[in-house]
Coordinates of all heavy atoms in Angstrom, one line a residue:
M24 N 26.3 7.4 -30.6 CA 25.3 6.8 -29.9 C 25.1 7.5 -28.5 O 26.0 7.7 -27.8 CB 25.6 5.3 -29.7 CG 24.4 4.5 -29.1 SD 24.8 2.8 -28.8 CE 24.5 2.0 -30.4
E25 N 23.8 7.7 -28.2 CA 23.6 8.4 -26.9 C 23.5 7.4 -25.8 O 23.1 6.2 -26.0 CB 22.3 9.1 -26.9 CG 22.3 10.4 -27.8 CD 20.9 11.0 -27.9 OE1 20.3 11.2 -26.8 OE2 20.5 11.4 -28.9
E26 N 24.0 7.8 -24.6 CA 23.8 6.9 -23.4 C 22.6 7.1 -22.8 O 22.2 8.2 -22.3 CB 25.0 7.2 -22.5 CG 26.4 6.9 -23.1 CD 27.5 7.2 -22.1 OE1 27.5 6.5 -21.1 OE2 28.3 8.1 -22.4
D27 N 21.8 6.1 -22.6 CA 20.4 6.2 -22.1 C 20.4 5.9 -20.5 O 19.8 5.0 -20.1 CB 19.5 5.2 -22.8 CG 19.3 5.6 -24.2 OD1 19.2 6.8 -24.5 OD2 19.2 4.7 -25.0
F28 N 21.1 6.8 -19.8 CA 21.0 6.7 -18.4 C 19.6 6.7 -17.8 O 19.3 6.1 -16.9 CB 21.8 7.8 -17.7 CG 23.3 7.5 -17.8 CD1 24.1 8.4 -18.5 CD2 23.9 6.4 -17.2 CE1 25.5 8.2 -18.5 CE2 25.2 6.2 -17.2 CZ 26.0 7.1 -17.9
Y29 N 18.7 7.5 -18.5 CA 17.4 7.6 -18.0 C 16.5 6.5 -18.2 O 15.3 6.5 -17.7 CB 16.8 8.9 -18.5 CG 17.5 10.1 -18.0 CD1 18.5 10.8 -18.7 CD2 17.2 10.6 -16.7 CE1 19.1 11.9 -18.2 CE2 17.9 11.7 -16.1 CZ 18.8 12.4 -16.9 OH 19.5 13.5 -16.4
D30 N 16.9 5.5 -18.9 CA 16.1 4.3 -19.1 C 16.0 3.5 -17.7 O 15.0 2.9 -17.5 CB 16.8 3.3 -20.1 CG 16.2 3.7 -21.5 OD1 15.5 4.7 -21.6 OD2 16.7 3.1 -22.5
E31 N 17.0 3.6 -16.9 CA 17.0 2.9 -15.6 C 16.5 3.9 -14.6 O 16.8 5.1 -14.7 CB 18.4 2.5 -15.2 CG 18.9 1.5 -16.2 CD 18.3 0.1 -16.0 OE1 17.9 -0.2 -14.8 OE2 18.1 -0.6 -17.0
G32 N 15.7 3.4 -13.6 CA 15.3 4.3 -12.5 C 14.1 5.1 -13.0 O 13.0 4.9 -12.6
G33 N 14.4 6.2 -13.8 CA 13.3 6.9 -14.4 C 13.0 8.1 -13.6 O 13.7 9.1 -13.6
V34 N 11.9 8.1 -12.9 CA 11.3 9.2 -12.2 C 11.3 9.0 -10.7 O 11.3 7.9 -10.2 CB 9.9 9.6 -12.7 CG1 10.0 10.0 -14.2 CG2 9.0 8.4 -12.5
V35 N 11.2 10.1 -10.0 CA 11.1 10.1 -8.5 C 9.8 9.3 -8.2 O 8.8 9.6 -8.8 CB 11.2 11.4 -7.9 CG1 10.8 11.4 -6.4 CG2 12.5 12.1 -8.1
C36 N 9.9 8.4 -7.2 CA 8.7 7.7 -6.8 C 7.6 8.6 -6.4 O 7.8 9.4 -5.5 CB 9.1 6.7 -5.8 SG 7.7 5.8 -5.0
P37 N 6.4 8.5 -6.9 CA 5.2 9.3 -6.6 C 4.6 9.0 -5.2 O 3.9 9.8 -4.7 CB 4.2 9.1 -7.7 CG 4.5 7.7 -8.1 CD 6.0 7.5 -8.0
K38 N 5.0 7.9 -4.7 CA 4.4 7.4 -3.4 C 5.2 8.0 -2.2 O 4.7 8.6 -1.3 CB 4.4 6.0 -3.3 CG 4.0 5.4 -2.0 CD 2.5 5.4 -1.8 CE 2.0 4.8 -0.5 NZ 0.6 5.0 -0.2
C39 N 6.5 7.8 -2.2 CA 7.4 8.2 -1.1 C 8.2 9.5 -1.4 O 8.9 10.0 -0.6 CB 8.4 7.1 -0.8 SG 9.5 6.7 -2.1
M40 N 8.0 10.0 -2.7 CA 8.7 11.2 -3.1 C 10.3 11.1 -3.0 O 11.0 12.0 -2.7 CB 8.3 12.4 -2.3 CG 6.8 12.8 -2.6 SD 6.5 13.0 -4.4 CE 4.8 13.5 -4.4
G41 N 10.7 9.8 -3.2 CA 12.1 9.6 -3.1 C 12.7 9.3 -1.8 O 13.9 9.1 -1.6
D42 N 11.9 9.3 -0.8 CA 12.3 9.0 0.6 C 12.7 7.5 0.8 O 13.3 7.1 1.7 CB 11.3 9.4 1.6 CG 11.2 10.9 1.9 OD1 12.2 11.5 1.4 OD2 10.3 11.3 2.5
R43 N 12.1 6.7 -0.1 CA 12.3 5.2 -0.1 C 11.6 4.5 1.0 O 11.5 3.3 1.0 CB 13.8 4.9 0.0 CG 14.6 5.4 -1.2 CD 16.1 5.2 -1.0 NE 16.8 5.8 -2.1 CZ 18.1 5.9 -2.2 NH1 18.8 5.3 -1.3 NH2 18.6 6.5 -3.2
T44 N 11.1 5.2 2.0 CA 10.2 4.6 3.0 C 8.9 5.4 3.1 O 8.9 6.5 2.7 CB 11.0 4.6 4.3 OG1 11.4 5.9 4.7 CG2 12.1 3.7 4.3
V45 N 8.0 4.7 3.6 CA 6.7 5.3 3.9 C 6.2 5.1 5.3 O 6.8 4.1 5.9 CB 5.6 4.9 2.9 CG1 5.8 5.3 1.5 CG2 5.4 3.3 3.0
D46 N 5.4 5.9 5.9 CA 4.9 5.6 7.3 C 4.1 4.3 7.2 O 3.3 4.1 6.4 CB 4.1 6.8 7.7 CG 4.9 8.0 8.0 OD1 6.0 8.0 8.1 OD2 4.2 9.1 7.9
C47 N 4.4 3.5 8.2 CA 3.6 2.3 8.3 C 2.3 2.6 9.0 O 2.1 3.7 9.6 CB 4.4 1.2 9.1 SG 4.3 1.4 10.8
Y48 N 1.4 1.7 8.9 CA 0.1 1.9 9.5 C -0.2 0.9 10.6 O -1.4 0.7 11.0 CB -1.0 1.9 8.4 CG -0.8 3.0 7.4 CD1 -0.2 2.8 6.2 CD2 -1.3 4.3 7.8 CE1 0.0 3.8 5.3 CE2 -1.1 5.3 6.9 CZ -0.5 5.1 5.7 OH -0.2 6.2 4.8
C49 N 0.8 0.2 11.1 CA 0.6 -0.7 12.2 C 0.3 0.0 13.5 O -0.6 -0.3 14.2 CB 1.9 -1.5 12.5 SG 2.7 -2.1 11.0
G50 N 1.0 1.1 13.7 CA 0.7 2.0 14.9 C 1.5 1.6 16.1 O 1.3 0.6 16.6
G51 N 2.4 2.5 16.4 CA 3.1 2.4 17.7 C 3.6 1.1 18.2 O 4.4 0.4 17.5
D52 N 3.2 0.7 19.4 CA 3.8 -0.5 20.0 C 3.6 -1.7 19.3 O 4.3 -2.7 19.4 CB 3.3 -0.6 21.5 CG 3.7 0.6 22.3 OD1 4.7 1.2 22.0 OD2 3.0 0.8 23.4
L53 N 2.5 -1.8 18.5 CA 2.2 -3.0 17.8 C 2.9 -3.1 16.4 O 2.7 -4.1 15.8 CB 0.7 -3.1 17.5 CG -0.2 -3.1 18.8 CD1 -1.7 -3.0 18.4 CD2 0.1 -4.5 19.5
C54 N 3.7 -2.1 16.1 CA 4.4 -2.1 14.8 C 5.3 -3.3 14.7 O 6.1 -3.6 15.5 CB 5.2 -0.8 14.7 SG 6.1 -0.8 13.1
F55 N 5.1 -4.0 13.6 CA 5.9 -5.2 13.3 C 6.9 -5.0 12.1 O 7.4 -5.9 11.6 CB 5.1 -6.4 13.1 CG 4.0 -6.3 12.0 CD1 4.4 -6.4 10.7 CD2 2.7 -6.0 12.4 CE1 3.4 -6.3 9.7 CE2 1.7 -5.9 11.4 CZ 2.1 -6.0 10.1
C56 N 7.0 -3.7 11.7 CA 7.9 -3.4 10.6 C 9.3 -3.4 11.1 O 9.6 -3.1 12.3 CB 7.5 -2.1 10.0 SG 5.8 -2.0 9.4
E57 N 10.2 -3.6 10.2 CA 11.7 -3.6 10.5 C 12.1 -2.3 11.2 O 12.9 -2.2 12.0 CB 12.5 -3.9 9.3 CG 12.5 -5.4 8.9 CD 13.3 -5.5 7.6 OE1 14.3 -4.9 7.5 OE2 12.9 -6.3 6.7
N58 N 11.7 -1.2 10.6 CA 12.2 0.1 11.0 C 11.2 0.9 12.0 O 11.5 2.0 12.2 CB 12.4 1.0 9.8 CG 13.4 0.4 8.8 OD1 14.3 -0.3 9.2 ND2 13.1 0.4 7.5
Y59 N 10.3 0.2 12.5 CA 9.4 0.9 13.5 C 8.9 2.2 13.0 O 9.5 3.2 13.3 CB 10.0 0.9 14.9 CG 10.2 -0.4 15.5 CD1 11.4 -1.0 15.5 CD2 9.1 -1.0 16.1 CE1 11.5 -2.3 16.0 CE2 9.2 -2.3 16.6 CZ 10.4 -2.9 16.6 OH 10.5 -4.2 17.1
G60 N 7.8 2.2 12.4 CA 7.2 3.5 12.0 C 7.4 3.8 10.5 O 6.7 4.6 9.9
E61 N 8.4 3.1 9.9 CA 8.6 3.3 8.5 C 8.7 1.8 7.9 O 9.1 0.9 8.5 CB 9.9 4.0 8.2 CG 9.7 5.4 8.6 CD 11.0 6.2 8.2 OE1 12.1 5.6 8.0 OE2 10.9 7.5 8.0
R62 N 8.3 1.7 6.6 CA 8.5 0.5 5.9 C 8.9 0.8 4.5 O 8.8 2.0 4.0 CB 7.2 -0.3 5.9 CG 6.1 0.4 5.2 CD 4.8 -0.4 5.5 NE 4.7 -1.5 4.7 CZ 4.1 -1.6 3.5 NH1 3.5 -0.5 3.0 NH2 4.0 -2.7 2.8
D63 N 9.6 -0.1 3.8 CA 10.0 0.1 2.4 C 8.8 0.5 1.6 O 7.7 -0.1 1.8 CB 10.6 -1.1 1.8 CG 12.0 -1.3 2.2 OD1 12.6 -0.4 2.9 OD2 12.6 -2.4 1.8
C64 N 8.9 1.5 0.8 CA 7.9 2.0 0.0 C 7.4 0.8 -0.9 O 8.2 0.2 -1.6 CB 8.4 3.2 -0.9 SG 7.1 3.7 -2.1
P65 N 6.1 0.6 -0.9 CA 5.6 -0.5 -1.7 C 5.6 -0.3 -3.2 O 5.5 -1.2 -4.0 CB 4.2 -0.7 -1.2 CG 3.8 0.6 -0.7 CD 5.1 1.3 -0.1
V66 N 5.7 1.0 -3.6 CA 5.7 1.3 -5.0 C 7.0 1.2 -5.7 O 7.2 0.5 -6.7 CB 5.1 2.7 -5.2 CG1 5.2 3.2 -6.7 CG2 3.7 2.8 -4.7
C67 N 8.1 1.7 -5.0 CA 9.4 1.7 -5.6 C 10.2 0.6 -4.9 O 11.4 0.4 -5.3 CB 10.1 3.0 -5.4 SG 10.3 3.5 -3.8
H68 N 9.7 -0.1 -3.9 CA 10.4 -1.1 -3.2 C 11.7 -0.6 -2.6 O 12.8 -1.3 -2.7 CB 10.6 -2.4 -4.1 CG 9.4 -2.9 -4.6 ND1 8.5 -3.7 -3.8 CD2 8.8 -2.8 -5.8 CE1 7.4 -4.0 -4.6 NE2 7.6 -3.5 -5.8
G69 N 11.7 0.6 -2.0 CA 12.8 1.2 -1.4 C 13.9 1.7 -2.3 O 15.0 2.0 -1.9
E70 N 13.5 1.8 -3.6 CA 14.5 2.3 -4.6 C 14.5 3.9 -4.6 O 15.5 4.5 -4.9 CB 14.1 1.8 -6.0 CG 14.2 0.3 -6.1 CD 15.6 -0.2 -6.2 OE1 16.4 0.4 -6.8 OE2 15.9 -1.2 -5.5
G71 N 13.3 4.5 -4.3 CA 13.2 5.9 -4.4 C 12.9 6.4 -5.8 O 12.6 7.5 -6.0
E72 N 13.0 5.5 -6.7 CA 12.7 5.9 -8.1 C 12.0 4.7 -8.8 O 12.1 3.6 -8.3 CB 14.0 6.1 -8.9 CG 14.8 7.3 -8.6 CD 16.0 7.4 -9.5 OE1 16.5 6.4 -10.1 OE2 16.5 8.6 -9.6
V73 N 11.1 5.1 -9.7 CA 10.4 4.1 -10.5 C 10.5 4.4 -12.0 O 10.9 5.5 -12.4 CB 8.9 4.1 -10.1 CG1 8.8 3.6 -8.7 CG2 8.3 5.4 -10.2
S74 N 10.2 3.4 -12.8 CA 10.1 3.7 -14.2 C 8.9 4.5 -14.5 O 8.0 4.6 -13.7 CB 10.1 2.4 -15.0 OG 8.8 1.8 -14.7
E75 N 8.9 5.2 -15.6 CA 7.8 6.1 -16.0 C 6.5 5.2 -16.1 O 5.4 5.6 -15.7 CB 8.0 6.8 -17.2 CG 9.0 8.0 -17.0 CD 9.1 8.8 -18.3 OE1 8.1 9.0 -19.0 OE2 10.3 9.3 -18.6
A76 N 6.7 4.0 -16.6 CA 5.6 3.1 -16.7 C 5.0 2.7 -15.4 O 3.8 2.7 -15.2 CB 6.0 1.8 -17.4
R77 N 5.8 2.5 -14.4 CA 5.4 2.2 -13.0 C 4.6 3.4 -12.4 O 3.6 3.3 -11.7 CB 6.6 1.8 -12.1 CG 6.2 1.4 -10.8 CD 5.4 0.1 -10.8 NE 4.9 -0.3 -9.5 CZ 3.7 0.1 -8.9 NH1 2.9 0.8 -9.7 NH2 3.3 -0.2 -7.7
E78 N 5.2 4.6 -12.6 CA 4.5 5.8 -12.2 C 3.2 5.9 -12.7 O 2.2 6.2 -12.1 CB 5.4 7.1 -12.5 CG 4.8 8.3 -12.0 CD 5.4 9.6 -12.6 OE1 5.7 9.6 -13.8 OE2 5.7 10.5 -11.8
E79 N 3.0 5.7 -14.0 CA 1.7 5.8 -14.7 C 0.8 4.7 -14.1 O -0.4 5.1 -13.9 CB 2.0 5.5 -16.2 CG 0.7 5.8 -17.1 CD 0.2 7.2 -16.8 OE1 1.0 8.2 -16.7 OE2 -1.0 7.4 -16.6
T80 N 1.2 3.5 -13.8 CA 0.4 2.5 -13.2 C -0.1 3.0 -11.8 O -1.3 2.8 -11.5 CB 1.2 1.2 -13.1 OG1 1.7 0.8 -14.3 CG2 0.3 0.1 -12.5
Y81 N 0.8 3.6 -11.1 CA 0.5 4.1 -9.8 C -0.6 5.2 -9.9 O -1.6 5.1 -9.2 CB 1.7 4.8 -9.1 CG 1.4 5.4 -7.8 CD1 1.2 4.7 -6.6 CD2 1.3 6.8 -7.7 CE1 0.9 5.2 -5.5 CE2 1.1 7.4 -6.5 CZ 0.8 6.7 -5.4 OH 0.6 7.3 -4.2
F82 N -0.5 6.1 -10.8 CA -1.4 7.2 -10.9 C -2.8 6.6 -11.4 O -3.9 7.1 -11.0 CB -1.0 8.3 -11.9 CG 0.0 9.2 -11.2 CD1 1.2 9.5 -11.9 CD2 -0.1 9.7 -9.9 CE1 2.2 10.4 -11.3 CE2 0.8 10.5 -9.4 CZ 2.0 10.8 -10.0
E83 N -2.7 5.7 -12.3 CA -3.9 5.0 -12.8 C -4.7 4.4 -11.7 O -5.9 4.5 -11.6 CB -3.6 4.0 -13.9 CG -4.7 3.3 -14.5 CD -5.7 4.2 -15.2 OE1 -5.2 5.2 -15.8 OE2 -6.9 3.9 -15.2
S84 N -4.0 3.6 -10.8 CA -4.7 3.0 -9.7 C -5.2 4.0 -8.7 O -6.3 3.8 -8.1 CB -3.7 2.0 -9.0 OG -2.8 2.6 -8.2
Q85 N -4.5 5.1 -8.5 CA -5.0 6.2 -7.6 C -6.3 6.7 -8.2 O -7.3 7.0 -7.5 CB -4.0 7.3 -7.6 CG -2.8 6.9 -6.8 CD -3.0 6.8 -5.3 OE1 -3.1 5.7 -4.8 NE2 -3.1 7.9 -4.6
R86 N -6.3 7.0 -9.6 CA -7.5 7.4 -10.2 C -8.7 6.5 -10.0 O -9.8 6.9 -9.8 CB -7.3 7.7 -11.7 CG -6.7 9.1 -12.0 CD -6.8 9.4 -13.5 NE -5.9 8.5 -14.3 CZ -4.7 8.7 -14.6 NH1 -4.1 9.8 -14.1 NH2 -4.0 7.9 -15.3
R87 N -8.4 5.2 -10.2 CA -9.5 4.2 -10.1 C -10.0 4.1 -8.7 O -11.2 4.1 -8.4 CB -8.9 2.8 -10.5 CG -9.7 2.3 -11.7 CD -9.2 0.9 -12.1 NE -8.4 1.0 -13.3 CZ -7.3 0.3 -13.5 NH1 -6.8 -0.4 -12.5 NH2 -6.6 0.4 -14.6
M88 N -9.1 4.2 -7.7 CA -9.6 4.2 -6.3 C -10.4 5.4 -6.0 O -11.5 5.3 -5.3 CB -8.4 4.1 -5.4 CG -7.9 2.7 -5.0 SD -6.2 2.7 -4.3 CE -6.4 3.9 -3.0
H89 N -10.0 6.5 -6.5 CA -10.7 7.8 -6.3 C -12.1 7.7 -6.9 O -13.1 8.1 -6.3 CB -9.9 8.9 -6.9 CG -10.5 10.3 -6.6 ND1 -10.5 10.8 -5.3 CD2 -11.2 11.2 -7.3 CE1 -11.1 12.0 -5.4 NE2 -11.5 12.2 -6.6
A90 N -12.2 7.2 -8.1 CA -13.5 7.1 -8.8 C -14.3 6.1 -8.1 O -15.6 6.4 -8.0 CB -13.2 6.6 -10.2
A91 N -13.8 5.0 -7.6 CA -14.6 4.0 -6.9 C -15.1 4.6 -5.6 O -16.3 4.4 -5.2 CB -13.7 2.7 -6.6
F92 N -14.3 5.4 -4.9 CA -14.7 6.1 -3.7 C -15.9 7.1 -4.0 O -16.9 7.1 -3.3 CB -13.5 6.8 -3.1 CG -13.8 7.5 -1.8 CD1 -13.9 6.8 -0.6 CD2 -13.9 8.9 -1.8 CE1 -14.2 7.4 0.5 CE2 -14.2 9.6 -0.6 CZ -14.3 8.8 0.6
Q93 N -15.7 7.8 -5.0 CA -16.7 8.8 -5.4 C -18.0 8.1 -5.7 O -19.1 8.6 -5.2 CB -16.2 9.6 -6.6 CG -15.0 10.5 -6.4 CD -15.4 11.7 -5.6 OE1 -16.4 12.3 -5.9 NE2 -14.5 12.1 -4.7
S94 N -18.0 7.0 -6.5 CA -19.3 6.4 -6.8 C -19.9 5.7 -5.6 O -21.1 5.7 -5.4 CB -19.0 5.4 -8.0 OG -18.8 4.2 -7.5
A95 N -19.0 5.2 -4.7 CA -19.6 4.7 -3.4 C -20.3 5.8 -2.6 O -21.3 5.5 -2.0 CB -18.5 4.0 -2.7
M96 N -19.7 6.9 -2.5 CA -20.2 8.0 -1.8 C -21.6 8.5 -2.4 O -22.5 8.7 -1.7 CB -19.2 9.2 -1.8 CG -18.0 9.0 -1.0 SD -18.3 8.8 0.7 CE -18.7 10.6 1.2
R97 N -21.6 8.5 -3.7 CA -22.8 8.9 -4.4 C -23.9 7.9 -4.1 O -25.1 8.3 -3.8 CB -22.6 9.0 -5.9 CG -22.3 10.4 -6.4 CD -22.6 10.5 -7.9 NE -21.8 9.6 -8.7 CZ -20.5 9.7 -9.0 NH1 -19.9 10.8 -8.6 NH2 -19.9 8.9 -9.7
Q98 N -23.6 6.6 -4.1 CA -24.6 5.6 -3.9 C -25.1 5.7 -2.5 O -26.3 5.6 -2.2 CB -24.0 4.2 -4.1 CG -24.0 3.9 -5.6 CD -23.2 2.5 -5.9 OE1 -22.8 1.8 -4.9 NE2 -22.9 2.3 -7.1
S99 N -24.3 6.0 -1.5 CA -24.7 6.0 -0.1 C -25.6 7.3 0.0 O -26.6 7.3 0.8 CB -23.6 6.0 0.9 OG -22.8 7.1 0.7
D100 N -25.2 8.4 -0.6 CA -26.0 9.6 -0.6 C -27.4 9.3 -1.1 O -28.4 9.8 -0.6 CB -25.4 10.7 -1.5 CG -24.3 11.4 -0.7 OD1 -24.2 11.2 0.5 OD2 -23.6 12.3 -1.3
E101 N -27.5 8.6 -2.3 CA -28.8 8.3 -2.8 C -29.7 7.5 -1.9 O -30.9 7.7 -1.7 CB -28.6 7.5 -4.2 CG -28.2 8.4 -5.3 CD -27.7 7.7 -6.5 OE1 -27.9 6.4 -6.5 OE2 -27.0 8.3 -7.3
K102 N -29.0 6.5 -1.2 CA -29.8 5.7 -0.2 C -30.3 6.6 0.9 O -31.5 6.4 1.3 CB -28.9 4.6 0.3 CG -28.9 3.4 -0.5 CD -27.8 2.4 -0.1 CE -27.4 1.4 -1.1 NZ -26.1 0.9 -0.9
I103 N -29.5 7.5 1.3 CA -30.0 8.4 2.4 C -31.2 9.2 2.0 O -32.1 9.4 2.7 CB -28.8 9.3 2.9 CG1 -27.8 8.4 3.6 CG2 -29.3 10.4 3.8 CD1 -26.5 9.1 3.9
D104 N -31.0 9.7 0.7 CA -32.1 10.6 0.2 C -33.4 9.8 0.1 O -34.5 10.4 0.2 CB -31.7 11.1 -1.2 CG -30.7 12.2 -1.0 OD1 -30.5 12.7 0.1 OD2 -30.0 12.6 -2.0
D105 N -33.4 8.5 -0.2 CA -34.6 7.8 -0.3 C -35.3 7.8 1.1 O -36.2 7.5 1.5 CB -34.4 6.3 -0.7 CG -34.0 6.3 -2.2 OD1 -34.3 7.3 -2.9 OD2 -33.5 5.2 -2.7
Ligands
ZN210 ZN1 4.7 -0.8 11.3
ZN211 ZN1 8.6 5.0 -3.3

């Protein structure tokens, strides 16, 4: 029987690239994060790794956000052209 170590953890988190933290967006003196300037990565929750399924969900939501942004840009372009 093979040992399935790779079932746990899986792949390096695509959000923080394994750093486990991401830059916060509170900004300087107003930062209310524990680590001032960094916060636990919201994708891997500070694990640095995610399952392949979680990675796929992340990329899927990135694609959707990108597509929504593109279509919003197109719509505003059309309004300007009118
Ligand atoms: Zn912050
Ligand atoms: Zn992460």
Side-chain angles (χ1 to χ4, degrees):
M24 190 185 272
E25 290 177 43
E26 295 180 65
D27 291 325
F28 283 118
Y29 291 100
D30 275 0
E31 296 288 325
V34 297
V35 172
C36 174
K38 174 77 175 174
C39 64
M40 295 303 182
D42 283 347
R43 298 177 186 175
T44 53
V45 293
D46 292 342
C47 78
Y48 296 99
C49 314
D52 296 339
L53 295 175
C54 179
F55 53 80
C56 302
E57 284 178 37
N58 300 322
Y59 290 100
E61 289 184 341
R62 57 191 287 265
D63 277 358
C64 175
V66 174
C67 63
H68 302 286
E70 297 286 317
E72 290 184 336
V73 292
S74 66
E75 286 186 38
R77 183 67 186 90
E78 182 190 44
E79 190 52 45
T80 305
Y81 173 77
F82 284 135
E83 178 63 32
S84 74
Q85 291 289 100
R86 275 195 294 271
R87 241 184 254 135
M88 270 163 53
H89 186 71
F92 180 75
Q93 293 286 317
S94 95
M96 291 296 284
R97 262 198 305 278
Q98 279 171 11
S99 65
D100 277 354
E101 283 164 15
K102 276 172 197 154
I103 290 165
D104 284 345
D105 286 346

